Amino acid sequence: MTNKELIDISTVEITALTVPERLASFVKVVKNPYCFRVKDTPVKVIFSDKAGAPAVETALVNIATRRFR
């Protein structure tokens, strides 16, 4: 997938009220929550399997709640 094909999350607006609704909207709009871009910067989300690392669900909720308040 090229950078141009990735969804730019800086242009995405999500107005859902609850965290689960925001997360669902984020996934629906971005299509792949592991690969997107912020303006011209591609972002690939990778999760660690090391002890103490946050779960994938926690990390995605953090992205959705911090970006779309």
Side-chain angles (χ1 to χ4, degrees):
M1 187 173 269
T2 67
N3 285 356
K4 297 270 185 203
E5 294 173 311
L6 296 173
I7 302 298
D8 179 2
I9 68 167
S10 67
T11 64
V12 173
E13 291 190 32
I14 294 176
T15 58
L17 298 176
T18 68
V19 171
E21 290 171 337
R22 285 192 298 233
L23 185 56
S25 293
F26 177 77
V27 171
K28 183 177 180 181
V29 171
V30 175
K31 297 181 181 50
N32 182 351
Y34 301 104
C35 294
F36 52 87
R37 66 186 163 90
V38 179
K39 298 185 180 179
D40 293 327
T41 305
V43 177
K44 182 176 183 180
V45 179
I46 300 172
F47 297 94
S48 173
D49 60 356
K50 295 181 181 177
V56 64
E57 295 86 359
T58 303
L60 290 174
V61 167
N62 287 340
I63 290 170
T65 56
R66 289 184 181 145
R67 170 62 180 96
F68 306 107
R69 292 183 187 215

